[in-house]
């Protein structure tokens, strides 16, 4: 199980995946917003999304887990 974490503190602008979705390495899974900049967060692992821990509007700190990927 791989965890995708926030690369910086900010507000979750958009969640691009849902539980059960298949993702490829380097695919965007969440977009964070900080200081009016939108920053995509990508997964390093391919597989199936097993958990989504955030929703749009949530504030996250750097290192917080956003989604979990069950590696294929």
């Amino acid at each position: 199980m791989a965890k995708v974490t926030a690369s910086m503190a900010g507000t979750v602008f958009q969640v691009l995946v849902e539980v059960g979705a298949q993702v490829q390495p380097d695919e965007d899974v969440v977009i964070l917003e900080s200081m009016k900049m939108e920053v995509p967060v990508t997964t390093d692992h391919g597989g199936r999304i097993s958990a989504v821990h955030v929703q749009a509007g949530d504030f996250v700190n750097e290192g917080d887990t956003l989604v979990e990927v069950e590696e294929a």
Side-chain angles (χ1 to χ4, degrees), residues 6-17:
S7 54
M8 59 186 233
T11 302
V12 176
F13 179 70
Q14 187 175 12
V15 179
L16 304 173
V17 294

Side-chain angles (χ1 to χ4, degrees), residues 19-58:
V19 172
Q22 289 292 127
V23 293
Q24 301 297 318
D26 298 322
E27 186 172 333
D28 294 347
V29 293
V30 173
I31 298 177
L32 297 179
E33 182 181 46
S34 181
M35 298 187 301
K36 299 190 183 198
M37 291 177 22
E38 293 177 10
V39 179
V41 179
T42 60
T43 179
D44 293 332
H45 307 278
R48 184 181 66 82
I49 300 294
S50 58
V52 177
H53 296 281
V54 294
Q55 59 185 3
D58 288 351

